[in-house]
C-alpha cells in the first residue's frame, strides 16, 4: 500500500474521479499506484454492458459529467505524470457524448500538463465512425481498444461487443491516421484454444496494430465467467514470440499483464510516438 498509494486514493476521491484500477479490481494496483501510475476511468462508474469477465458495475448510468475531463487533467497534472492512461465505461446510450469526453480530456491534459503523453483506452462506440474520427483527430499518442477474446467467446465474454467491429475500429483508426500508435489487449483463460488466439494475433497484425498485451483472466466473483485454466509462463513466452514474429512493435505477455500495465515502457519501446501537440 504505502504513502503514495493513499495519496493517490485521496486525490481521486477529492476530485470525484474513478480509476479502472479499483473498479476492475486490478491485481497490480499496489505496484502501479506506488509508482504514481493510475488509469482514470471516465463517464461514471456504471457500464451499459454486462461483459462476463469484467468487475466494473453494470446498470443504467448517470448523465455524462461535462466537467470530468478537466478534473482528470487536474489529477494528471497534480501527479506530474509523463504518460497518462484514460479509459471509460461503455456508454451505448450516447456514443458521440462519450467520444467528446475523450476529445476534451486529451485537450485538457495538453493544457494542464503539457508534455504528458496521452493514451486513451476507448470502447468501440458501437462502430460509430464519427465518434472514432473525433478521437483520432484529437491525436492521442496511443489509441487503445481491447479485443479481449477470440470470436467464438464474444457472445458470453464480451456482451454487446462484436469481434468484426473491434477489428474494424482498430483498422479504421489506422486508415484515418497511419502515424497513430494503436494498441489492443487479450485476456486468456476463458475457454479459448491456442490456435484461436494465434488467429486473432494474425488479424491484428494484418491491420498493423502496434502494441499487444496478453494477460491471464482472473475471475472477479462467482457471478463472472469461470476461469478454464492458468496459462504457464512458457505459454506466455510462446505467445509473445509468435506475436513478435507477426510484426507487432511491442508485446507484453504474462499472467498479471493488464492493458495499461507498464504502459509508459510499452509506449517508449515502440519508437513510434509523435510528440504532444
Amino acid at each position: 500500500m504505502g504513502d503514495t498509494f493513499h495519496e493517490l486514493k485521496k486525490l481521486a476521491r477529492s476530485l470525484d474521479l474513478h480509476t479502472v484500477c479499483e473498479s476492475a479490481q486490478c491485481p497490480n494496483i499496489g505496484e502501479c499506484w506506488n509508482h504514481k501510475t493510475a488509469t482514470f476511468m471516465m463517464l461514471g462508474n456504471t457500464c451499459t454492458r454486462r461483459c462476463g469477465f469484467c468487475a466494473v458495475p453494470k446498470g443504467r448510468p448517470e448523465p455524462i459529467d461535462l466537467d470530468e475531463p478537466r478534473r482528470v487533467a487536474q489529477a494528471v497534472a497534480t501527479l506530474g505524470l509523463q504518460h497518462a492512461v484514460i479509459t471509460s465505461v461503455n456508454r451505448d446510450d450516447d456514443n458521440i457524448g462519450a467520444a467528446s469526453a475523450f476529445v476534451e480530456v486529451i485537450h485538457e491534459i495538453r493544457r494542464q500538463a503539457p508534455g504528458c503523453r496521452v493514451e486513451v483506452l476507448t470502447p468501440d462506440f458501437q462502430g460509430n465512425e464519427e465518434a472514432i474520427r473525433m478521437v483520432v483527430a484529437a491525436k492521442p499518442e496511443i489509441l487503445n481498444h481491447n479485443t479481449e477474446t477470440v470470436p467464438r467467446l464474444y457472445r458470453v465474454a464480451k456482451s454487446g461487443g462484436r469481434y468484426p467491429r473491434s477489428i474494424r475500429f482498430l483498422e479504421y483508426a489506422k486508415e484515418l491516421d497511419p502515424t497513430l500508435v494503436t494498441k489492443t489487449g487479450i485476456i486468456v483463460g476463458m475457454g479459448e484454444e491456442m490456435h484461436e488466439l494465434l488467429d486473432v494475433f494474425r488479424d491484428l497484425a494484418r491491420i498493423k496494430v502496434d502494441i499487444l498485451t496478453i494477460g491471464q483472466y482472473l475471475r472477479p466473483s462467482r457471478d463472472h465467467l469461470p476461469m478454464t485454466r492458468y496459462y504457464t509462463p512458457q505459454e506466455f513466452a510462446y505467445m509473445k514470440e509468435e506475436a513478435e514474429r507477426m510484426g507487432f512493435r511491442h508485446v507484453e505477455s504474462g499472467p498479471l499483464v493488464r492493458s495499461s500495465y507498464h504502459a509508459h515502457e510499452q509506449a517508449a519501446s515502440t519508437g513510434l510516438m509523435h510528440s504532444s501537440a
Side-chain angles (χ1 to χ4, degrees), residues 71-133:
R71 301 197 309 278
V72 168
Q74 184 180 339
V76 168
T78 301
L79 290 168
L81 300 184
Q82 293 182 315
H83 187 97
V85 185
I86 313 299
T87 189
S88 79
V89 294
N90 282 282
R91 291 298 300 252
D92 292 338
D93 57 318
D94 188 356
N95 289 300
I96 296 298
S100 296
F102 277 103
V103 171
E104 279 303 307
V105 82
I106 293 167
H107 291 162
E108 279 290 331
I109 291 172
R110 297 265 159 78
R111 185 178 69 82
Q112 295 191 47
C116 178
R117 291 190 292 259
V118 184
E119 174 177 335
V120 293
L121 168 54
T122 76
D124 62 16
F125 303 123
Q126 294 183 304
N128 186 307
E129 290 191 350
E130 175 58 23
I132 301 169
R133 280 196 296 270

Side-chain angles (χ1 to χ4, degrees), residues 33-47:
W33 280 29
N34 277 316
H35 286 96
K36 290 191 175 181
T37 300
T39 299
F40 292 100
M41 189 172 74
M42 300 196 306
L43 305 175
N45 194 41
T46 306
C47 189

Side-chain angles (χ1 to χ4, degrees), residues 57-232:
K58 287 83 173 165
R60 185 187 296 274
E62 296 291 322
I64 291 176
D65 179 353
L66 300 180
D67 186 55
E68 189 176 43
R70 181 195 63 79
R71 301 197 309 278
V72 168
Q74 184 180 339
V76 168
T78 301
L79 290 168
L81 300 184
Q82 293 182 315
H83 187 97
V85 185
I86 313 299
T87 189
S88 79
V89 294
N90 282 282
R91 291 298 300 252
D92 292 338
D93 57 318
D94 188 356
N95 289 300
I96 296 298
S100 296
F102 277 103
V103 171
E104 279 303 307
V105 82
I106 293 167
H107 291 162
E108 279 290 331
I109 291 172
R110 297 265 159 78
R111 185 178 69 82
Q112 295 191 47
C116 178
R117 291 190 292 259
V118 184
E119 174 177 335
V120 293
L121 168 54
T122 76
D124 62 16
F125 303 123
Q126 294 183 304
N128 186 307
E129 290 191 350
E130 175 58 23
I132 301 169
R133 280 196 296 270
M134 289 166 63
V135 176
V136 171
K139 292 193 175 296
E141 272 68 38
I142 296 179
L143 177 61
N144 185 355
H145 169 65
N146 281 338
T147 311
E148 308 289 15
T149 189
V150 301
R152 179 173 57 84
L153 295 179
Y154 257 61
R155 184 180 296 274
V156 293
K158 200 173 178 184
S159 173
R162 302 287 183 273
Y163 180 77
R165 185 196 293 162
S166 285
I167 294 296
R168 179 55 188 158
F169 178 107
L170 292 160
E171 181 179 41
Y172 184 53
K174 205 74 163 181
E175 289 172 0
L176 291 170
D177 183 358
T179 70
L180 180 67
V181 178
T182 54
K183 174 178 171 181
T184 196
I186 303 289
I187 308 167
V188 299
M190 294 190 289
E192 71 292 323
E193 300 291 338
M194 182 64 77
H195 70 88
E196 293 178 295
L197 289 168
L198 295 179
D199 284 344
V200 171
F201 297 171
R202 291 186 192 99
D203 286 345
L204 296 167
R206 175 183 58 79
I207 59 174
K208 297 180 170 55
V209 171
D210 299 293
I211 302 173
L212 173 66
T213 63
I214 309 164
Q216 173 71 49
Y217 172 57
L218 299 174
R219 192 182 193 185
S221 78
R222 291 182 181 179
D223 295 328
H224 292 82
L225 282 177
M227 183 181 67
T228 58
R229 70 182 182 93
Y230 283 109
Y231 278 62
T232 65

